[in-house]
Amino acid sequence: MTEHFRHVVRGSGPGLLLAHGGGGSIEGNFGPILDDLARTHTVVGPDYPGSGATPRSDRPLDLDEVADELVAIAVGAGCERFAILGYSLGTAVAVRAATRHPDRVTALILTSGFARLNNQMRLAVDVWASLLHDDPRLLAKFLTLAGTGARHLESLTPEQLAAAVDELAAFIPEGSPEQVRLVAEVDTRAELAAITVPALVVATTLDGLASPALSRELAEGLPHAELVEIEAGHNIAVEAPDAWLAAIEKFLRSL
């Protein structure tokens, strides 16, 4: 499947593999911080099937296969060993990659993450999956409501809010059904204790999709994890890119 995962490679230096969220993309989830990360690292960013320029899969996605493909892409880009920056679903991909390829993965940065779904997230994912078959603008309204921090949401004018919904409706990747199904299947709790690399867990405290309690649980399960909390909703790249980047860069400097 490697040839089907389109990817970007930017910068130079130590390897940094990106794993994006379900229904997202590398540009959509990491765009505001990509250039900054590439100033100090070789950043490898693959898009999952049905996101970016990657063709949609004709079968369900498998977490093992996605993790293996991302690792293969990083190695193919010249990064023999690398840290992984995972966002949302990408945190589960990162954990699975560290479990299956411990000789490759040097550190984990897990943002808006989860090792399993709690009831709040399961309901949100169920609604998300159902709305994929309806009006994309209705889905965009739901994701904006659930994924945006209250402070940022209320700072928008009616015109800005309508534009944000329209932009999200136009962005929804065609591979979202397979990616959202993969979100619903995530349970990496059993493998956390065996991961011995340094980890930074970034909790988004205003997150209505992946609650901060799930990030705290993720951090508690990893033997060498540091927890940082940032006031933002699920869309941290838009709401708090500077704080996110600062936390990432501080952690990477410490390795």
Coordinates of all heavy atoms in Angstrom, one line a residue, residues 112-127 146 183-189 204 207-218 234:
S112 N -4.3 15.8 21.3 CA -5.8 15.5 21.2 C -6.0 14.0 21.0 O -6.8 13.6 20.1 CB -6.4 16.3 20.0 OG -6.2 17.7 20.2
G113 N -5.3 13.2 21.8 CA -5.3 11.8 21.6 C -6.2 10.9 22.4 O -6.9 11.4 23.3
F114 N -6.2 9.6 22.2 CA -7.0 8.7 22.9 C -6.4 7.3 22.7 O -5.9 7.0 21.6 CB -8.4 8.8 22.5 CG -8.6 8.7 21.0 CD1 -9.0 7.5 20.4 CD2 -8.5 9.8 20.2 CE1 -9.2 7.4 19.0 CE2 -8.7 9.7 18.8 CZ -9.0 8.5 18.2
A115 N -6.5 6.5 23.7 CA -6.2 5.1 23.6 C -7.4 4.2 23.4 O -7.3 3.0 23.0 CB -5.4 4.6 24.8
R116 N -8.6 4.8 23.7 CA -9.8 4.1 23.5 C -10.9 5.2 23.4 O -10.6 6.4 23.8 CB -10.1 3.1 24.6 CG -10.0 3.7 26.0 CD -11.3 4.1 26.6 NE -11.1 4.8 27.9 CZ -12.1 5.3 28.6 NH1 -13.4 5.0 28.2 NH2 -11.9 5.9 29.7
L117 N -12.1 4.9 23.0 CA -13.2 5.9 23.0 C -14.0 5.8 24.3 O -14.3 4.7 24.8 CB -14.1 5.6 21.8 CG -13.8 6.2 20.5 CD1 -12.5 5.5 19.9 CD2 -14.9 6.0 19.5
N118 N -14.2 7.0 24.9 CA -15.2 7.0 26.0 C -16.6 7.2 25.4 O -16.7 7.3 24.2 CB -14.8 8.1 27.0 CG -14.8 9.5 26.5 OD1 -15.2 9.7 25.3 ND2 -14.4 10.4 27.3
N119 N -17.6 7.2 26.3 CA -19.0 7.3 25.7 C -19.2 8.6 25.0 O -19.9 8.6 24.0 CB -20.0 7.2 26.9 CG -20.1 5.8 27.4 OD1 -19.7 4.8 26.7 ND2 -20.5 5.6 28.6
Q120 N -18.6 9.7 25.5 CA -18.8 11.0 24.8 C -18.2 11.0 23.4 O -18.9 11.4 22.4 CB -18.1 12.1 25.6 CG -18.1 13.5 24.9 CD -17.3 14.5 25.7 OE1 -16.9 14.3 26.8 NE2 -17.0 15.6 25.0
M121 N -17.1 10.4 23.3 CA -16.4 10.3 21.9 C -17.2 9.3 21.0 O -17.3 9.6 19.8 CB -15.0 10.0 22.1 CG -14.2 10.1 20.8 SD -12.4 9.9 21.0 CE -11.9 10.3 19.3
R122 N -17.6 8.2 21.6 CA -18.3 7.2 20.8 C -19.6 7.8 20.2 O -19.9 7.5 19.1 CB -18.6 6.0 21.7 CG -19.1 4.8 20.8 CD -19.1 3.5 21.6 NE -17.7 3.2 22.1 CZ -16.8 2.6 21.3 NH1 -17.0 2.4 20.1 NH2 -15.6 2.3 21.8
L123 N -20.3 8.6 21.0 CA -21.5 9.2 20.5 C -21.2 10.2 19.4 O -21.9 10.2 18.3 CB -22.3 9.9 21.6 CG -23.0 9.0 22.6 CD1 -23.5 9.8 23.8 CD2 -24.2 8.2 21.9
A124 N -20.1 11.0 19.6 CA -19.7 11.9 18.6 C -19.3 11.2 17.3 O -19.7 11.7 16.2 CB -18.6 12.8 19.1
V125 N -18.6 10.2 17.4 CA -18.1 9.4 16.2 C -19.3 8.8 15.5 O -19.4 8.7 14.3 CB -17.0 8.4 16.6 CG1 -16.7 7.4 15.4 CG2 -15.8 9.1 17.0
D126 N -20.3 8.3 16.3 CA -21.5 7.7 15.7 C -22.2 8.7 14.8 O -22.7 8.5 13.7 CB -22.4 7.1 16.7 CG -21.9 5.8 17.3 OD1 -20.9 5.2 16.7 OD2 -22.4 5.3 18.3
V127 N -22.4 9.9 15.4 CA -23.1 11.0 14.7 C -22.3 11.4 13.5 O -22.8 11.6 12.4 CB -23.3 12.2 15.6 CG1 -23.8 13.4 14.8 CG2 -24.2 11.9 16.8
A146 N -18.7 20.5 17.8 CA -18.0 19.6 18.7 C -16.5 19.8 18.9 O -15.9 19.6 19.9 CB -18.3 18.1 18.3
V183 N -11.3 5.1 13.5 CA -11.4 5.8 14.8 C -12.2 5.0 15.8 O -11.8 4.8 16.9 CB -12.0 7.3 14.6 CG1 -12.3 7.9 16.0 CG2 -11.1 8.2 13.8
A184 N -13.4 4.6 15.3 CA -14.3 3.8 16.2 C -13.7 2.5 16.7 O -14.1 2.0 17.8 CB -15.6 3.6 15.5
E185 N -12.7 2.0 16.0 CA -12.1 0.7 16.4 C -10.9 0.8 17.4 O -10.4 -0.2 17.8 CB -11.7 -0.1 15.2 CG -12.9 -0.4 14.2 CD -12.4 -1.0 12.9 OE1 -11.2 -1.0 12.7 OE2 -13.2 -1.5 12.2
V186 N -10.4 2.0 17.6 CA -9.2 2.2 18.3 C -9.3 1.7 19.8 O -10.2 2.0 20.5 CB -8.8 3.7 18.4 CG1 -7.7 3.9 19.4 CG2 -8.3 4.1 17.0
D187 N -8.3 0.9 20.2 CA -8.1 0.5 21.5 C -6.6 0.0 21.7 O -6.3 -1.1 21.4 CB -9.0 -0.6 22.0 CG -8.9 -0.8 23.5 OD1 -8.0 -0.4 24.1 OD2 -9.9 -1.5 24.1
T188 N -5.8 1.0 22.1 CA -4.3 0.7 22.2 C -3.9 0.6 23.7 O -2.7 0.6 24.0 CB -3.5 1.8 21.5 OG1 -3.8 3.0 22.1 CG2 -3.8 1.8 20.0
R189 N -4.9 0.5 24.6 CA -4.5 0.5 26.0 C -3.5 -0.6 26.4 O -2.6 -0.4 27.2 CB -5.8 0.4 26.9 CG -6.6 1.6 26.9 CD -7.9 1.4 27.6 NE -8.8 0.5 26.8 CZ -10.1 0.2 27.2 NH1 -10.5 0.5 28.4 NH2 -10.8 -0.6 26.4
T204 N -5.9 18.9 24.7 CA -6.7 20.1 24.4 C -7.9 20.2 25.3 O -8.8 19.4 25.2 CB -7.1 20.0 22.9 OG1 -7.5 18.6 22.6 CG2 -6.0 20.4 22.0
D207 N -11.7 20.5 24.3 CA -12.0 19.5 23.2 C -13.4 18.8 23.5 O -13.5 18.1 24.4 CB -10.9 18.5 23.1 CG -10.8 17.8 21.8 OD1 -11.9 17.6 21.2 OD2 -9.7 17.5 21.3
G208 N -14.3 18.9 22.5 CA -15.6 18.2 22.6 C -15.6 16.9 21.9 O -16.6 16.2 21.9
L209 N -14.6 16.6 21.2 CA -14.5 15.3 20.5 C -13.6 14.3 21.2 O -14.2 13.3 21.7 CB -13.9 15.5 19.0 CG -14.8 16.1 18.0 CD1 -14.1 16.4 16.7 CD2 -16.0 15.1 17.7
A210 N -12.4 14.6 21.4 CA -11.5 13.8 22.2 C -11.2 14.5 23.5 O -10.3 15.4 23.5 CB -10.2 13.5 21.5
S211 N -11.9 14.2 24.5 CA -11.9 15.0 25.7 C -10.5 15.0 26.4 O -9.7 14.0 26.2 CB -12.9 14.5 26.8 OG -12.5 13.3 27.3
P212 N -10.1 16.0 27.1 CA -8.8 16.0 27.8 C -8.6 14.8 28.7 O -7.5 14.4 29.0 CB -8.8 17.4 28.5 CG -10.2 17.8 28.6 CD -10.9 17.3 27.4
A213 N -9.7 14.3 29.2 CA -9.6 13.1 30.1 C -8.9 11.9 29.4 O -8.2 11.1 30.0 CB -11.0 12.7 30.6
L214 N -9.2 11.8 28.1 CA -8.6 10.7 27.3 C -7.1 11.0 27.1 O -6.3 10.0 27.1 CB -9.3 10.6 25.9 CG -10.8 10.1 26.0 CD1 -11.4 10.2 24.6 CD2 -10.8 8.7 26.6
S215 N -6.7 12.2 26.9 CA -5.2 12.5 26.9 C -4.6 12.2 28.2 O -3.5 11.6 28.2 CB -5.0 14.0 26.5 OG -5.2 14.2 25.1
R216 N -5.2 12.5 29.3 CA -4.6 12.3 30.6 C -4.5 10.8 30.8 O -3.5 10.3 31.3 CB -5.5 12.9 31.7 CG -5.5 14.4 31.6 CD -6.4 15.0 32.7 NE -6.6 16.5 32.4 CZ -7.8 17.1 32.3 NH1 -8.9 16.4 32.4 NH2 -7.9 18.4 32.0
E217 N -5.5 10.0 30.4 CA -5.4 8.6 30.5 C -4.3 8.0 29.6 O -3.6 7.1 30.0 CB -6.8 8.0 30.0 CG -6.9 6.5 30.1 CD -8.2 6.0 29.6 OE1 -9.1 5.9 30.5 OE2 -8.4 5.7 28.4
L218 N -4.1 8.6 28.4 CA -3.1 8.2 27.6 C -1.7 8.4 28.2 O -0.8 7.5 28.2 CB -3.2 8.9 26.2 CG -2.3 8.6 25.1 CD1 -2.5 7.1 24.7 CD2 -2.6 9.5 23.9
H234 N -10.6 20.8 19.6 CA -9.9 19.8 18.9 C -9.0 20.3 17.8 O -8.0 19.8 17.4 CB -10.9 18.8 18.3 CG -10.4 17.5 17.9 ND1 -9.9 16.6 18.9 CD2 -10.3 16.9 16.7 CE1 -9.5 15.5 18.3 NE2 -9.7 15.6 17.0

